[in-house]
Amino acid sequence: MKRMLDFVRLHKQFAILSALVFLLILTAVSAPLWIKISPYDSNLKDAFLPPGGEHLFGTDKLGRDVFSRVIYGSRISLTSSLLLTISVLFLGTVLGITAGYFGGVIDTVVMRIADMLISFPGMVLAIAVAGIMGASTMNAVIAILIVSWTKYARLARSLVLKIRHKDYIYAALTTGSKNLYILKKYMLPNVMPTLIVTAASDIGTMMLELAGLSFLGFGAKPPLAEWGLMLNEGRIYMMDYPWLMIYPGFAICIVVVIFNLLGDSLRDILDPRNKTK
């Protein structure tokens, strides 16, 4: 307990941001327990009601409560963003470490595929992939995964190459250590701190990209309560009923800023240079 309190006192910003992330997740998970109005119940008599009264954020063109849709939208946006980030981290780390450690044909194949994907604008390629597979939240996640793993693979590979020819690696090989053991014992611990910091900083970016695909019609489909889709549905009425875009847009901004700041704080904690100060 004392160590935890000391850590909180030493890293106040990280502790506050972690608490905010926990609050966001708790809000999303517990939504069915305290949201009284279903985000999918429509009532055309209540269409385009302004914020206030029973409908805190107003209603949309079908009379659905915007507040409940924003809260339920956090469940989809947070889940898909975290799933995408974890998937990109896992795939990029595995391919990057494998390419950097074994080299040869494996390294050539992985890096040439990465180079080909990097040569295309990421969002344009994601739109093309999502368009081929069809509009859905899962297909949007897969599309961005396909174009995003290269960053982590190249980073993991470069970190592995820094220690691949160290004496202790050759000593481990000489004593008969298996490649799998060396990867788990030496390679993975050396690359994971940097990759975790990168992934934490990229959660906000992943959320923006998923929202962007939904906004363009390549992600979530109606009547799903998803922030990017809500922006797309509200843009037609932006001048007359601005709350249809203000509240989901504000929700995206808040969550992205929190995760970006959390990534910066985590980088400061894990940066070896800060431990010497």
Side-chain angles (χ1 to χ4, degrees):
M1 188 65 179
K2 184 178 182 301
R3 289 184 178 180
M4 183 180 297
L5 292 175
D6 291 339
F7 179 84
V8 171
R9 278 193 289 266
L10 186 60
H11 306 288
K12 292 180 181 179
Q13 181 179 351
F14 178 77
I16 293 172
L17 292 169
S18 298
L20 290 175
V21 170
F22 176 77
L23 183 61
L24 287 173
I25 295 174
L26 181 63
T27 300
V29 171
S30 63
L33 301 177
W34 59 277
I35 295 293
K36 303 304 181 183
I37 303 176
S38 171
Y40 302 109
D41 288 346
S42 60
N43 184 354
L44 294 180
K45 294 181 180 179
D46 295 334
F48 298 121
L49 290 179
E54 183 182 358
H55 303 285
L56 189 61
F57 289 175
T59 60
D60 63 7
K61 63 181 180 180
L62 297 178
R64 297 173 298 190
D65 184 69
V66 176
F67 177 75
S68 63
R69 288 182 64 79
V70 168
I71 298 300
Y72 270 81
S74 66
R75 297 163 64 90
I76 298 173
S77 295
L78 285 174
T79 301
S80 56
S81 299
L82 292 174
L83 174 63
L84 174 58
T85 304
I86 293 172
S87 300
V88 171
L89 175 63
F90 175 79
L91 180 61
T93 300
V94 170
L95 292 177
I97 290 178
T98 303
Y101 180 76
F102 291 103
V105 177
I106 296 177
D107 184 31
T108 301
V109 171
V110 171
M111 288 301 103
R112 293 301 76 77
I113 293 175
D115 290 341
M116 286 190 295
L117 292 174
I118 291 174
S119 66
F120 294 94
M123 197 61 180
V124 174
L125 184 56
I127 290 173
V129 175
I132 293 172
M133 294 190 297
S136 75
T137 303
M138 183 54 64
N139 287 345
V141 170
I142 295 173
I144 298 176
L145 169 63
I146 291 174
V147 303
S148 300
W149 65 267
T150 56
K151 172 182 177 181
Y152 292 82
R154 292 168 69 91
L155 181 57
R157 175 180 177 270
S158 66
L159 293 171
V160 167
L161 290 176
K162 287 183 179 180
I163 63 172
R164 176 64 181 85
H165 300 290
K166 295 290 186 180
D167 291 339
Y168 60 87
I169 301 297
Y170 288 122
L173 289 170
T174 303
T175 56
S177 297
K178 302 292 185 180
N179 287 326
L180 183 60
Y181 173 82
I182 294 175
L183 291 173
K184 291 169 57 178
K185 180 70 175 179
Y186 300 110
M187 300 301 172
L188 199 58
N190 275 282
V191 305
M192 284 312 295
T194 302
L195 292 174
I196 289 175
V197 171
T198 304
S201 301
D202 280 349
I203 294 176
T205 302
M206 300 296 181
M207 183 173 294
L208 286 174
E209 291 181 354
L210 287 170
L213 285 180
S214 295
F215 180 81
L216 295 172
F218 296 99
K221 296 187 295 184
L224 205 60
E226 197 271 344
W227 291 339
L229 179 60
M230 292 176 67
L231 290 174
N232 183 36
E233 293 175 337
R235 65 185 174 84
I236 305 175
Y237 312 100
M238 181 173 59
M239 301 304 296
D240 297 321
Y241 312 107
W243 60 84
L244 297 180
M245 291 196 71
I246 289 175
Y247 293 114
F250 191 56
I252 292 174
C253 290
I254 290 176
V255 175
V256 169
V257 167
I258 289 175
F259 277 108
N260 285 347
L261 292 175
L262 180 67
D264 291 340
S265 299
L266 188 59
R267 181 194 59 208
D268 294 338
I269 293 173
L270 297 179
D271 192 343
R273 291 173 295 183
N274 293 329
K275 300 178 181 179
T276 61
K277 294 181 180 178

